Amino acid sequence: MAWLYTPPDLAVGLFNTVMPLLHTVKLVSAGRTPSLTDTPFGAEVKVLQNVAVYGGPATWGLGHFRGLRTWRLKGLRGDGFTTQHILGILRENPLLEILEINRLRVQVLPENTLLTPIPLLRLTSLTMRSCHGDLVDHILRRIQIPMDRVKRLYIAVRAWRSLNPIRLLTDVLASWSPVFQRAHQTCRGSKFHLPDLGNFYWRAKGNGTTVYMHFSGIKPVTGVQWMVGILSQVDGSRAGASIECESTALKTVEDLKLLGSTDMITTFDVSVGRTGVSFKQALLQALSDPATPAFPCLETLKIQGFSWDMESVVKMLRARFTDHGTGVTQLPRLTIEISYPNWSSDSPVQRQIIDFDTVKAISALKGVERLHLGCAIGKDGMLGVVWSDELGVPTWG
């Protein structure tokens, strides 16, 4: 094994030493990476299986790496570095098991449709982190792997360049649907994270499986609908999905209605800032719609922040379960978690304590399974409860 954190000149000298038993190399460079095309690095090493190259220009050619099991690239650059180099090395290493590509500056050449797919029949882990969409699209179109072997798939696109994001979702990644579906089942569910209008996250993790998607520049609701459409194709699936959502991720009431129309969401965790008054009203109205209540499979509702109007929450719950408590339209009983997210607010309104009568009213509703109340842990020595002269009632400290 060779771990090289050396100046370029010294590293060249090491490469020029014949190392016939070398099987693992990790090369880290903050400057110029030694040219592997000018050394016997690939020619003399017969058992090389693991290569990691982090930083610097990519200067090697084809024919240097054969028989690789793992290949990791991070932060490489170079005017002549193209997708042809990557695909060429992949084609020369059919035994590859782990491929990681992270923040590459690479020229994406036009796709040659006459070339046969690249079979990577032993690949179990594929990572493409902080890559451009056209590079992800180009690589995924060319490789061919058995979907049932994949244990880790990590795709994170930070920019798209000339590629239409919808093409990647509905065309290229559609062929990876079995990986998403199996991960969702194996992990007994999956999770969406919608932090804002410009980012979409989805992950399934557990039982030795990790599948992670992150796309910048895609509308969160579009991402959720795309993934739910894939996951819902599994017959007899009982695994649900959770959504962790900031109110800023949903621009309009229509976005909220589209999100609420999915019948796979079992947990909805929502955080609303001080400017989210209209969002609160829209959410409560959607949840209590007597005709088509939002999130029909919802089992857990998590509300962050005590600034919610508890009277409106009680009205929502009564409306939600009045006409849907029995029969074919029966809704799942709901666990409600109300927590205070942090102690940064100086407003007593943000720190109100829910009165006992409201707690009893919520707990007594036939559609409520249980009610959890919590508050954040403050600094040592803080009073847990203080009197608010502004409100004339006790509040959290």
Side-chain angles (χ1 to χ4, degrees), residues 19 34 49 65 79 106 120 124 134-135 137 141 147 181 189-190 205-206 219 239 253 273 294 344 356 382 389 392:
M19 296 176 283
Q49 295 185 355
F65 303 135
D79 294 337
V106 57
L120 299 174
T124 62
D134 54 354
L135 174 61
D137 178 84
R141 282 179 180 274
M147 297 295 175
Q181 294 165 349
S190 56
K205 185 176 182 179
K219 193 176 180 180
V253 175
S344 60
F356 188 62
M382 285 182 58
D389 291 331

Side-chain angles (χ1 to χ4, degrees), residues 104-105 130-137 156-161:
L104 294 194
R105 299 181 186 178
S130 297
C131 295
H132 287 105
D134 54 354
L135 174 61
V136 175
D137 178 84
V157 178
R158 59 190 176 96
W160 297 93
R161 291 204 281 215

